[in-house]
């Protein structure tokens, strides 16, 4: 499964949100054995043709709950914070 590009967005390729375990290990740059162990705690997506795909984000969190997100803001702009009531 791929995340579609927004119209007018810079083309950086489409990032997968779910993939087979071997591809998840490749994306996260961890050993396949670690990904396989984490996959036991994460439910896979089932495609129409019967393939099993795992969420890259959920596998990453199962391996290390404190890890920085591999798919994070890439614009360089700081995250917008909501206005405070103090004004």
């Amino acid at each position: 499964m791929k995340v579609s590009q927004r119209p007018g967005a810079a083309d950086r390729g489409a990032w997968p949100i779910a993939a087979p375990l071997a591809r998840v290990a490749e994306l996260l740059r961890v050993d396949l054995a670690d990904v396989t162990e984490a996959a036991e705690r994460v439910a896979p997506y089932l495609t129409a043709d019967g393939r099993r795909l795992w969420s890259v984000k959920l596998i990453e969190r199962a391996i290390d709950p404190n890890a920085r997100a591999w798919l994070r803001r890439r614009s360089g702009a700081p995250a917008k914070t909501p206005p405070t009531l103090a004004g």
Side-chain angles (χ1 to χ4, degrees):
M1 298 171 78
K2 301 271 185 178
V3 176
S4 61
Q5 290 285 321
R6 291 178 312 205
D11 183 20
R12 295 183 180 167
W15 290 85
I17 58 172
L21 290 179
R23 179 71 174 134
V24 172
E26 200 177 296
L27 289 167
L28 296 178
R29 297 180 181 165
V30 296
D31 189 36
L32 181 59
D34 294 335
V35 172
T36 304
E37 181 182 321
E40 294 173 3
R41 300 185 303 264
V42 176
Y45 297 113
L46 298 176
T47 63
D49 61 356
R51 291 186 306 145
R52 297 166 65 121
L53 302 176
W54 281 263
S55 165
V56 177
K57 179 180 174 182
L58 293 177
I59 294 289
E60 178 187 41
R61 294 290 179 245
I63 292 172
D64 182 8
N66 299 318
R68 266 180 41 179
W70 71 275
L71 181 60
R72 60 186 177 276
R73 296 176 57 88
R74 295 189 302 266
S75 67
K80 293 182 181 179
T81 57
T84 62
L85 295 176

